[in-house]
Amino acid sequence: MQRQLLEILKEDMMAMSDQKLTKKELNTISWRYILASQLNWNYERMMSSGYLYGILPVLKKFYGHDETQLQDMLRTHNQFFNTNAIFGNLIMGIDVAIEEQDGHKAKETIIALKTALMGSLAGVGDSLFHVIWGTIFGSVAGTLAQNGSVVGCVIWIIANIALLFGRAALLPLGYKQGVKLVTTLKDKLSAFTNAATVLGVTVIGALIPSVVKATVPFVYKKDGVELVIQDTLDAILPSLVPILLVLLTYWMLGQKKLNSTRVIWIILILSIVLSAFGILG
């Protein structure tokens, strides 16, 4: 009897060890999600197909012994899911850590977890990676490229490669730290987002004079007196015209009846007309 009990315990221990995910498996599902996060994107379930494709090897490992549980979890992970694509790796890492520990019993927890995190991390991720990251590195790289420097192209390529591999590392990080990562770093993440936003605004502000080339060549003449308008504007504030143009563009983008395409056309037409009259150069 004792020997049979030991055999059963041994089998249970072996089964539990088989359930543990290896580093290779974590990297595999991380890259599967990266390559397929937008797979079959649709308005009904959005990123659910990409998420399911990424986590599929784990589901087969955890529930392959029970067809009913496997089908149930396949349906569960094919429900609506939409978040920042980069932070999706982090959510999946937390997800597989919980499922590894609790299995099918964690179904409701997983649904609640994905629902809670996908919205909050979407806003943070979009601000950090789609806006701030691209704005800072894109502006610096674009400015250098405009000046004929190949370094600008190199910076942009390196920035995107770094973002790609940094994204891949988020899944193992979520797996190791679990929900604690989100709860303990919530305030720090918000502070980091605010700091990055300030940095992005600072970079854009510094690049305005060098990227936006606009002057007022108009010279006022009367009774032998000449007034160079551009010199007067420079005495008030250097690069005043580029700043005003950027503020005008920003204001127009905030209007409900205007979109980016209409604003571009307005700027083009306005530039051509003012240049023809010698007001803007």
Side-chain angles (χ1 to χ4, degrees), residues 3-106:
R3 182 177 297 178
Q4 291 177 345
L5 182 59
L6 290 173
E7 288 293 332
I8 293 173
L9 289 173
K10 184 178 179 181
E11 290 177 2
D12 290 342
M13 291 295 292
M14 290 179 65
M16 290 176 63
S17 63
D18 289 341
Q19 291 290 90
K20 288 289 182 181
L21 294 173
T22 64
K23 184 178 181 181
K24 181 180 179 181
E25 288 173 325
L26 290 173
N27 288 330
T28 297
I29 63 174
S30 182
W31 282 103
R32 281 172 66 95
Y33 176 74
I34 289 173
L35 297 173
S37 59
Q38 304 296 330
L39 182 69
N40 194 34
W41 193 99
N42 59 83
Y43 285 104
E44 181 184 359
R45 299 180 182 180
M46 296 197 173
M47 300 170 67
S48 65
S49 297
Y51 192 94
L52 177 59
Y53 176 79
I55 202 173
L56 187 57
V58 171
L59 298 181
K60 289 181 178 178
K61 180 172 183 175
F62 289 167
Y63 312 109
H65 62 282
D66 190 322
E67 189 68 23
T68 302
Q69 288 187 3
L70 177 60
Q71 291 184 10
D72 188 33
M73 294 308 292
L74 288 173
R75 285 191 290 268
T76 298
H77 285 297
N78 199 30
Q79 297 305 310
F80 179 87
F81 181 77
N82 187 45
T83 188
N84 174 264
I86 294 174
F87 269 141
N89 288 69
L90 184 66
I91 295 174
M92 187 176 291
I94 299 172
D95 177 352
V96 296
I98 295 174
E99 290 196 56
E100 180 186 75
Q101 182 176 349
D102 296 331
H104 188 260
K105 293 184 297 182

Side-chain angles (χ1 to χ4, degrees), residues 144-162:
L144 291 172
Q146 271 189 328
N147 294 328
S149 175
V150 71
V151 176
C153 180
V154 173
I155 288 176
W156 186 240
I157 292 173
I158 292 175
N160 281 278
I161 291 175

